């Protein structure tokens, strides 16, 4: 792929990502983040393929860096999503009644 085409695709993807994130309402951020984590898993597979091609040393090093960053993105995204989902869940008191911790009501 020529460099100019790759750069154009990168700029368009960045622009679309910023537009998507700024237009999504806050209530949909958690599902969107979960979907993004799944897409990051696909990125991880692509990075593994790039690292394993062994064309040149540069491609191997760039593939290793891509794998490292993709793993950090996937693990961090799932940890943040898990924390956000716990914020929306309700807790049960020892007596058995349910309490809504978000608003401090019983």
């Amino acid at each position: 792929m020529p460099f100019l085409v790759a750069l154009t695709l990168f700029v368009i993807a960045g622009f679309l990502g910023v537009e998507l994130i700024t237009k999504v309402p806050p209530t949909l951020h958690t599902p969107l983040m979960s979907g993004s984590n799944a897409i990051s898993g696909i990125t991880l597979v692509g990075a593994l393929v790039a690292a394993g091609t062994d064309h040149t040393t540069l491609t191997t090093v760039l593939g290793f860096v891509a794998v490292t960053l993709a793993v950090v993105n996937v693990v961090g995204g799932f940890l943040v999503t898990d924390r956000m989902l716990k914020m929306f869940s309700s807790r049960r008191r020892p007596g058995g009644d349910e309490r809504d911790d978000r608003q401090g009501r019983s």
Side-chain angles (χ1 to χ4, degrees):
M1 179 181 303
F3 177 73
L4 187 60
V5 173
L7 181 65
T8 303
L9 288 175
F10 180 75
V11 170
I12 290 172
F15 176 74
L16 288 176
V18 169
E19 286 295 316
L20 178 68
I21 293 297
T22 57
K23 303 290 189 236
V24 171
T27 55
L28 295 178
H29 279 187
T30 301
L32 179 65
M33 186 179 294
S34 297
S36 298
N37 289 338
I39 293 171
S40 293
I42 296 170
T43 305
L44 180 60
V45 172
L48 283 170
V49 169
T53 56
D54 200 21
H55 287 292
T56 63
T57 305
L58 179 65
T59 58
T60 304
V61 170
L62 288 176
F64 175 76
V65 170
V67 168
T68 304
L69 293 176
V71 167
V72 168
N73 190 23
V74 168
V75 171
F78 278 111
L79 289 176
V80 169
T81 301
D82 185 52
R83 183 174 177 186
M84 290 178 69
L85 289 175
K86 284 180 182 174
M87 290 171 60
F88 289 111
S89 68
S90 59
R91 291 187 179 169
R92 292 194 177 266
R93 288 184 173 173
D97 58 340
E98 193 169 307
R99 180 178 175 207
D100 188 2
D101 286 338
R102 290 176 292 158
Q103 299 175 0
R105 292 183 287 181
S106 298

